[in-house]
Amino acid sequence: MSYSDAPSSTSLWTLFSARHLGASLMLSGGIALYAIETYVTATIMPSVVRDIGGLPLFAWVTTLYVTASVMGSVFIAIRPRGLSLNRTYSVGAVLFLLGSAICAVAPTMEIVLAGRAVQGFGAGTLATLGYAFIRYVYPESLWNKATTLYAAIWGISTFIGPTLGGFFADGSAWRHAFTIIVPFALVMGLLAPWLLPAGVDDRTETKAPLKQMILLSASLLLVSFASTAEEIGARTWLVVCALTAIAALLLVERRATLRILPRGGTLLSMPIARVYAAMFMLLAALTCDIYIPYFLQNLHNVPPLISGYIVALVALGWTAAAFICSDFTGKAMRRSILVGAILEAVCIGMLAVTLARLNPSGDVLLVSAAAFLIFGMGFGVGLGWAHLVTHILHLAEPDEKDKASAGITTVQSLGSAFGAALSGVIVNSTGLVSPGGVEGAASAATWLFMLFALPAVLAAFVAFSLPEPRYGAHVGDND
């Protein structure tokens, strides 16, 4: 029986019914490992540097992880014939386990980086499989619910990760933050072949698109260098080189027979390419939040802990919106994407008025207004994200569903990486460093939020052109 014909329930708790419980625990567990580890590592890295040194390599802890995670997502589409999706999940879990173990025993920062690369590859595999399995595990009526569940996990992880990292922030205790993950990854790797379906291998080819993978990696590394470069000239040239690598990637991708994205994924005349473009721009705009704690602390005298929880409102807003719109279908889904993009653009732009100003007395009304807009940023993305994922799953050809799922993680990582790097270029070029101080911070914040509203505006234009999501297509068997 196909899932399109299966009896359906629209309750989120149906994901944890007896029929779906095992698979839901596995898939949500993989997302949880990825999400919690992201925030835990961000919290403990200062302790790692104090313990074993390696401050000049600090930024590469994230850079290598993101780059490797993209490669892990691509691996789903190019895995060897005969390697089923559930066993691929086991491979991802084992690599995540191995990378965590390497980090836990690392005597130097260079070894930590090696562990983070292995860990990132496994994490990218697990996160991508969360999307790839949706069409095999759930009926179409639950596809939005599954992505809502993932959003909820990210929202919860925003609070759990830093809290858990705080327990291991003293001395060499940071090693336990990596060690504690190992048994969870081991259990998940062992249970995956039993709790997850094998999936239908309907791919037409499995060879690796090496040229695109090299260009993709180069663009991520270049943009990461740009975010840490001290000279504005160097930052500019590195961004230009990164954009050139992306342009070359798109050109090669269009002409290649071996591709990273599914057919039509780079042609804006095709709906699937416009969906990916909307995803990229929504995530790129959202990454301006990395400087929100700094502006809250330096412009509004908000304590560090409180500023951390305020920026966590982005994830909370995303989660809340995902729950609210998870039952939308048809035209309501398209309107939700459009309204969400407009809301994100408005909220980011308004932060140039509320957050980007001097407030040495910490006026509660002004901080509360900024917090409301920060929540709205995430809420806007949450209104559309699950529906964009559903679009991708419907628009991809039957033999490219796995590649399309991998593309979601790839585009998500690219959007976040480019957004983070460009935000660094903007603030460092508009006053954060020179003249610096509160005046410089206010100037940098104003420019940052005004400019970063533009990608969300572009996402709204793209969303306006998207087709109405369709249902009822054959998407796989549940046998």
Side-chain angles (χ1 to χ4, degrees):
M1 180 174 67
S2 73
Y3 266 131
S4 56
D5 300 324
S8 65
S9 170
T10 57
S11 170
L12 181 67
W13 296 109
T14 305
L15 298 175
F16 297 98
S17 64
R19 181 183 183 187
H20 302 304
L21 179 61
S24 292
L25 289 176
M26 290 298 298
L27 299 180
S28 60
I31 300 293
L33 282 181
Y34 190 167
I36 292 175
E37 179 60 18
T38 297
Y39 294 111
V40 168
T41 302
T43 304
I44 65 172
M45 278 314 299
S47 300
V48 176
V49 169
R50 286 193 296 268
D51 190 32
I52 63 175
L55 181 59
L57 301 174
F58 190 97
W60 287 97
V61 173
T62 299
T63 297
L64 289 180
Y65 185 82
V66 172
T67 303
S69 70
V70 172
M71 296 301 104
S73 70
V74 174
F75 173 70
I76 305 301
I78 64 172
R79 68 188 188 279
R81 290 286 186 193
L83 184 61
S84 61
L85 284 179
N86 55 5
R87 296 195 180 279
T88 304
Y89 191 99
S90 294
V91 171
V94 169
L95 288 174
F96 194 90
L97 178 160
L98 179 61
S100 300
I102 292 173
C103 291
V105 301
T108 65
M109 182 60 79
E110 287 79 4
I111 303 301
V112 170
L113 295 181
R116 286 289 283 171
V118 176
Q119 191 184 50
F121 193 99
T125 302
L126 294 177
T128 300
L129 284 171
Y131 294 113
F133 269 113
I134 286 178
R135 65 188 178 110
Y136 294 114
V137 173
Y138 308 114
E140 286 185 72
S141 60
L142 290 178
W143 286 6
N144 275 358
K145 297 296 184 183
T147 53
T148 298
L149 174 64
Y150 300 162
I153 290 171
W154 274 99
I156 294 171
S157 299
T158 304
F159 292 93
I160 294 178
T163 303
L164 186 62
F167 284 114
F168 303 109
D170 293 331
S172 296
W174 59 269
R175 299 182 184 276
H176 301 312
F178 292 109
T179 304
I180 198 173
I181 296 173
V182 171
F184 290 100
L186 177 62
V187 170
M188 292 172 65
L190 292 174
L191 292 181
W194 301 94
L195 297 180
L196 293 172
V200 178
D201 193 348
D202 46 15
R203 297 169 295 161
T204 56
E205 36 89 336
T206 59
K207 295 181 180 179
L210 293 178
K211 292 181 181 179
Q212 295 97 305
M213 293 174 70
I214 291 172
L215 288 169
L216 180 60
S217 299
S219 67
L220 287 171
L221 295 177
L222 285 167
V223 80
S224 298
F225 273 124
S227 64
T228 58
E230 295 182 0
E231 298 294 330
I232 186 172
R235 290 197 299 268
T236 301
W237 276 110
L238 286 167
V239 170
V240 169
C241 290
L243 293 175
T244 302
I246 288 294
L249 168 64
L250 295 176
L251 182 62
V252 172
E253 182 80 353
R254 290 182 181 182
R255 299 178 177 179
T257 54
L258 300 176
R259 299 179 305 277
I260 289 180
L261 296 177
R263 284 184 289 273
T266 59
L267 297 171
L268 288 178
S269 59
M270 302 295 291
I272 193 168
R274 296 199 294 276
V275 177
Y276 280 131
M279 286 180 157
F280 177 89
M281 289 181 286
L282 287 174
L283 264 295
L286 196 66
T287 53
C288 65
D289 68 347
I290 63 176
Y291 284 97
I292 286 177
Y294 181 88
F295 295 138
L296 284 170
Q297 293 173 39
N298 289 275
L299 296 177
H300 298 265
N301 282 331
V302 175
L305 180 62
I306 301 301
S307 68
Y309 281 118
I310 289 178
V311 78
L313 290 173
V314 172
L316 186 61
W318 185 328
T319 303
F323 275 98
I324 290 172
C325 70
S326 62
D327 288 328
F328 291 177
T329 58
K331 293 181 179 179
M333 296 173 68
R334 184 168 55 184
R335 285 196 297 267
S336 185
I337 298 170
L338 176 60
V339 171
I342 294 173
L343 178 62
E344 183 189 22
V346 170
C347 288
I348 293 175
M350 288 298 294
L351 284 175
V353 178
T354 56
L355 186 58
R357 59 188 296 178
L358 298 179
N359 179 28
S361 63
D363 182 75
V364 175
L365 289 179
L366 197 57
V367 174
S368 297
F372 179 79
L373 293 171
I374 291 166
F375 178 87
M377 290 167 54
F379 195 90
V381 178
L383 280 176
W385 190 261
H387 307 316
L388 290 169
V389 171
T390 301
H391 259 308
I392 292 294
L393 295 177
H394 280 138
L395 291 171
E397 297 297 328
D399 63 332
E400 294 198 312
K401 298 290 187 182
D402 292 342
K403 186 175 293 184
S405 299
I408 295 171
T409 304
T410 299
V411 170
Q412 185 175 358
S413 297
L414 276 174
S416 297
F418 270 86
L422 290 176
S423 64
V425 171
I426 290 171
V427 298
N428 290 331
S429 304
T430 56
L432 190 67
V433 176
S434 178
V438 292
E439 296 291 344
S443 172
T446 301
W447 281 102
L448 176 67
F449 296 126
M450 287 195 305
L451 292 177
F452 264 67
L454 297 179
V457 172
L458 292 175
F461 278 106
V462 172
F464 189 76
S465 70
L466 295 179
E468 181 179 328
R470 59 185 174 84
Y471 285 99
H474 179 85
V475 291
D477 295 328
N478 62 351
D479 299 329

